[in-house]
Amino acid sequence: MTSTLKRLMIGAATLALTAGAALAENVIIGHFGSPTPMQVARAEGKFDAATGWTIEWRQFGSGTEVIAAMASGDVQVAELGSSPLSIGTSQGLEIQLFMIAQGLGTAESLIAKADSGVTKVEDLKGKRIAVPVGSTAHYSLMGALTHAGIAETDVTIMNLPADQIAAAWDSGQVDAAFIWEPVQNQILQTGTFIVGADQTAAWGFPTFDGWVVNTEFAAANADAMVAFAKTMNEANMAYLADPAAWTADSDPVKKIAEMTGAAPDQVPNILKGFTFIPLADQMSDTWLGGAAANMKTTADFLVKAGRIDAAGDDYAPFVNTTIAEAAK
């Protein structure tokens, strides 16, 4: 090998490493835009400061959109619901759940129009129900129908993104919707609460939003991932320390409203609909400790419902507890 060729190869290798480092500093993170405490840390630039990344926050309307973005390699870290998480991993998407963002509780609920004649789940037969198909809300809806003994063919499922449901509601195209905040609060103005995700969880169909990361990216950015999780936990703990202080005129609620578009006077009640879990408690079987089993149960249900072709045998490889353990 000539000295000139050697210098060229060394130069090319150095350039590749430098380019890789530059790419690693510019990270696209997907989220749903939910009015949650992490939006305060996001507004204050705490995630960028903690990780050393220049973060582009990209909002998605559904878990299926997140799966597609992560499959393309465009997004490295993202918020993802438990149902689409099971769908993506069943299809071999190389991602790992590393933190529970929040339990969904009444933050995702079935709302019926006041004039629809629906006052309980059993009344849904023959009705038109809007929901983003493949989402946690969709899984909860299917669970509610199953619990009530209603076949999916007995209702009309209208697959609509969250941001289109309010318009369909106002125009009279739907009788009910299973959806999350802030759309839920919008349609509640002319609707009736029927059942929340907390109740469908009690019926055997639990849901949550989690944070997932590309498997290779997690291995290559271990310290930054711990810093990211720690910052997320600190944001949640700030709320859990004194939820009553998060009033409409408080600074954190104003920041949440600014980042999400939710009305400040609605944010406190929206926050109450979520369950925020300290990292120190996430290793329990209810959350990260039982996530692989939850994913398997969800996937098996989705197979029976005809939503995916097959479930995996073991979802443990898709759960990463080392990040949360180091960050708690």
Side-chain angles (χ1 to χ4, degrees):
M1 180 183 296
T2 66
S3 59
T4 300
L5 181 57
K6 185 181 290 185
R7 285 197 300 273
L8 287 172
M9 291 182 69
I10 293 173
T14 301
L15 182 61
L17 287 171
T18 303
L23 287 172
E25 292 177 0
N26 295 275
V27 178
I28 299 175
I29 297 181
H31 70 113
F32 293 134
S34 301
T36 56
M38 61 83 61
Q39 300 292 354
V40 180
R42 179 181 159 220
E44 295 173 350
K46 288 185 176 180
F47 290 102
D48 301 71
T51 61
W53 299 333
T54 298
I55 298 175
E56 176 189 335
W57 293 90
R58 186 173 298 178
Q59 186 169 331
F60 292 96
S62 70
T64 52
E65 294 177 9
V66 173
I67 289 172
M70 296 200 77
S72 71
D74 196 24
V75 173
Q76 293 80 33
V77 181
E79 194 175 16
L80 187 61
S82 50
S83 181
L85 171 63
S86 293
I87 293 172
T89 51
S90 295
Q91 296 170 344
L93 184 61
E94 291 295 325
I95 58 174
Q96 295 176 329
L97 173 71
F98 67 91
M99 183 177 184
I100 304 298
Q102 55 265 334
L104 296 178
T106 56
E108 286 191 3
S109 298
L110 176 67
I111 311 299
K113 297 199 76 169
D115 59 357
S116 66
V118 177
T119 59
K120 57 186 182 299
V121 176
E122 288 75 11
D123 296 331
L124 289 174
K125 193 170 183 178
K127 302 298 183 180
R128 301 162 298 171
I129 312 167
V131 68
V133 168
S135 66
T136 48
H138 182 214
Y139 177 71
S140 294
L141 172 61
M142 292 169 67
L145 293 175
T146 299
H147 179 78
I150 300 175
E152 190 173 351
T153 53
D154 290 333
V155 299
T156 300
I157 302 291
M158 299 182 66
N159 180 18
L160 293 175
D163 59 0
Q164 293 181 21
I165 285 181
W169 180 279
D170 291 339
S171 64
Q173 298 177 50
V174 301
D175 301 302
F178 211 123
I179 194 58
W180 49 80
E181 299 287 7
V183 178
Q184 179 185 157
N185 195 75
Q186 290 178 254
I187 64 177
L188 265 173
Q189 307 307 310
T190 55
T192 303
F193 174 90
I194 304 300
V195 68
D198 56 341
Q199 182 59 66
T200 55
W203 289 338
F205 307 94
T207 55
F208 59 83
D209 283 336
W211 284 100
V212 298
V213 60
N214 172 275
T215 303
E216 290 187 3
F217 184 86
N221 296 269
D223 291 343
M225 288 304 305
V226 171
F228 179 87
K230 187 174 292 188
T231 302
M232 189 72 66
N233 186 56
E234 289 171 353
N236 288 338
M237 294 303 290
Y239 171 72
L240 292 174
D242 190 5
W246 291 50
T247 58
D249 59 353
S250 66
D251 182 63
V253 166
K254 287 179 180 178
K255 286 178 178 174
I256 290 174
E258 180 182 351
M259 297 301 288
T260 65
D265 62 342
Q266 296 174 0
V267 172
N269 281 333
I270 292 174
L271 288 168
K272 292 176 184 177
F274 291 111
T275 300
F276 301 105
I277 309 100
L279 271 182
D281 299 334
Q282 290 203 14
M283 297 304 143
S284 71
D285 288 345
T286 303
W287 304 110
L288 273 183
N294 177 284
M295 291 160 67
K296 171 64 175 171
T297 300
T298 302
D300 287 341
F301 178 85
L302 293 170
V303 170
K304 291 179 181 178
R307 294 299 171 183
I308 57 176
D309 294 331
D313 294 325
D314 181 15
Y315 288 82
F318 301 107
V319 180
N320 182 334
T321 59
T322 60
I323 294 170
E325 283 283 8
K328 69 180 183 180

